[in-house]
Amino acid sequence: MSDVHELSAAQQLRALRAGEVSSRELTEHYLTRIDRLDAELGAFVTVVPELALRDAARADERLARGEWSPLCGLPLGLKDLYSTAGIRTTLGSAALAEHVPTEDAWTVGLLRQAGAVILGKTNTAEFGAACYTENDVTARPAVTPYDPARYASGSSGGAAAAVAAGLLPVAHASDGAGSTRTPAATCHLVGVKPSRGLVSSAPASSFLSAGTEGPVARTVADAALLLDVMAQPWPGDLYGWRSTTSFAGAVTRVPDRPLKVAVWTETGLDAVEAHPESVLAVRRTATLLGELGHEVREIVIPANCDEPVRQALKTLFVFSVGITAPTLVPAERRRLLRPYTRHLVSAGESLSAAGVVTAQSVLARYASTFLAALEGFDIALTPTTNGPPVPLGHYFAHGVEGEADLMLGWSCYTPWVNLTGQPAISVPSHVDGEGLPHGVQLVGGQRQDAELLALAAQLEGAALWADVHPPCWYQ
């Protein structure tokens, strides 16, 4: 069964249920591809073949008895920021290279209960703090299979590289400032950042909830299947809510009315121009939306990412990483942290409570400006990234002090959505003349995730993007 990875996740689930393929066959196929291809891609931190084959055998036994669950027998990878009982969880840090949790994170537990067969943990930036995936746990950064000399972005770079290369049918990811959407764009994939509270962050809890888990997939339907499983709030969630609509059902229906779409391509950064290919991606998407009957209007970017906002974003990262890392990493192992993480930890030592509260106020005003400007629109359309995947080492050109500005210049279109709490999806647009992928971001109204996914599926059905694959897909 050499071409089983060419089936979508939805097709694989149907084949499993019909008895046309076994979970063991699927699992062995993907494990073989990981063993053959991942040394160049850097998609995985940890692979657990024995555990995966045991889980596949149990899935096959259930299927033989006629039992069924939403992901029964489907191979899956989990991002290495999230605890997995019995499987090491490094958070992308050499300082935690031997850490093996005893309990699953909430969403990990949901995916396991749904019958997914866990093949391993996908590569991530250290503590999820970068839009590139390079750490000191793995020998290889996570690269886009379309050009292994370029990053697959981050911090869900491993998940995206694995799905694009056919090492997984679909993958678990997370997004704190674009970390699902930008890797999807670099790998010609679909990446979903759900509305705040739809997917639980348990056991973590915070009044400032910017990050959330979500799926990365080859098709909108595959992403919807995984989201249906993940969208079950933990009872103690501060922002938790439950959708009354099946996302897998939503993507089978076109929007029930013409949608009002706001469009911009400005970066919001005074010294950073929009990349021509990113502008092209938005233009061709806007044209197709108009042809599909939606009302498309170009607007000025609602708020610039000026110096106070940039400093507030940096403070937010210092607060989330610079405080978290010392809590998790013993003092004697902090020498193993990467330079950028040590930079954040050092900055965290001088961080004041007043500084954190002030930064939160600045970002709240920034987010509110977007929400107010988008009142009356159903959807916002922007590029996902400002240009193609960047070369390895790109972010190190100006030392650790310059990394944040370089990352923001490339990923400037995504962080505002984490602050507003709206749902967003990155879908492919095109592959440029150099063979590099580009994507567009669609942002929906708060808690309008089903409507957003339906629109993305409509664009997919209208052939916004071609069904192309990187060279290693055929190996």
Side-chain angles (χ1 to χ4, degrees), residues 152-168:
S153 189
S155 60
S156 304
V163 175
L167 308 188
L168 289 172

Side-chain angles (χ1 to χ4, degrees), residues 125-388:
E126 188 168 51
F127 297 103
C131 69
Y132 60 91
T133 300
E134 183 170 357
N135 57 50
D136 294 329
V137 183
T138 59
R140 176 76 167 151
V143 297
T144 173
Y146 288 85
D147 182 350
R150 295 173 181 263
Y151 289 117
S153 189
S155 60
S156 304
V163 175
L167 308 188
L168 289 172
V170 68
H172 160 269
S174 67
D175 192 314
S179 291
T180 297
R181 289 162 286 159
T182 59
T186 67
C187 294
H188 200 70
L189 297 173
V190 174
V192 179
K193 185 208 84 70
S195 288
R196 179 177 289 131
L198 179 62
V199 176
S200 176
S201 61
S205 185
S206 172
F207 282 111
L208 182 61
S209 179
T212 183
E213 296 159 73
V216 62
R218 285 164 44 208
T219 71
V220 179
D222 284 355
L225 281 170
L226 202 60
L227 186 58
D228 270 330
V229 172
M230 300 171 73
Q232 300 181 49
W234 178 64
D237 281 341
L238 294 176
Y239 304 101
W241 63 282
R242 190 181 299 272
S243 174
T244 58
T245 303
S246 160
F247 300 116
V251 301
T252 65
R253 301 184 294 272
V254 298
D256 58 8
R257 58 184 174 83
L259 302 178
K260 296 181 179 180
V261 183
V263 179
W264 70 85
T265 57
E266 299 159 89
T267 67
L269 298 166
D270 290 339
V272 180
E273 295 293 326
H275 192 281
E277 292 288 348
S278 300
V279 174
L280 172 62
V282 168
R283 295 286 175 255
R284 63 191 305 274
T285 306
T287 298
L288 181 53
L289 285 168
E291 292 171 353
L292 292 170
H294 302 294
E295 180 186 333
V296 180
R297 186 190 311 169
E298 187 159 358
I299 68 170
V300 175
I301 187 172
N304 285 320
C305 191
D306 57 18
E307 182 62 21
V309 172
R310 292 197 299 274
Q311 288 303 318
L313 286 169
K314 291 177 183 178
T315 298
L316 179 64
F317 270 89
V318 168
F319 178 66
S320 61
V321 178
I323 302 300
T324 301
T327 302
L328 296 175
V329 178
E332 66 273 13
R333 295 186 63 81
R334 290 177 194 166
R335 58 183 174 78
L336 298 174
L337 297 174
R338 286 179 64 82
Y340 184 60
T341 306
R342 292 201 302 271
H343 169 70
L344 294 175
V345 171
S346 177
E349 292 173 352
S350 59
L351 196 62
S352 68
V356 173
V357 172
T358 298
Q360 291 180 351
S361 297
V362 168
L363 295 178
R365 288 195 298 272
Y366 176 65
S368 294
T369 303
F370 279 91
L371 290 173
L374 294 174
E375 179 71 17
F377 290 99
D378 301 295
I379 298 289
L381 167 65
T382 76
T384 305
T385 65
N386 192 26

Side-chain angles (χ1 to χ4, degrees), residues 78-149:
L78 300 170
K79 187 174 177 179
D80 202 33
L81 289 183
Y82 295 86
S83 294
T84 43
I87 304 175
R88 74 166 182 160
T89 301
T90 73
L91 284 75
S93 179
L96 297 172
E98 306 306 321
H99 173 57
V100 180
T102 57
E103 296 182 356
D104 286 333
W106 173 258
T107 305
V108 170
L110 293 175
L111 292 167
R112 280 180 150 166
Q113 291 163 26
V117 174
I118 308 305
L119 302 193
K121 305 298 290 293
T122 57
N123 207 356
T124 185
E126 188 168 51
F127 297 103
C131 69
Y132 60 91
T133 300
E134 183 170 357
N135 57 50
D136 294 329
V137 183
T138 59
R140 176 76 167 151
V143 297
T144 173
Y146 288 85
D147 182 350

Side-chain angles (χ1 to χ4, degrees), residues 11-32:
Q11 290 170 330
Q12 290 182 25
L13 284 167
R14 287 194 292 271
L16 283 164
R17 195 165 192 177
E20 297 168 355
V21 67
S22 70
S23 180
R24 183 179 182 89
E25 287 175 303
L26 285 177
T27 300
E28 288 180 338
H29 179 83
Y30 283 112
L31 287 172
T32 298

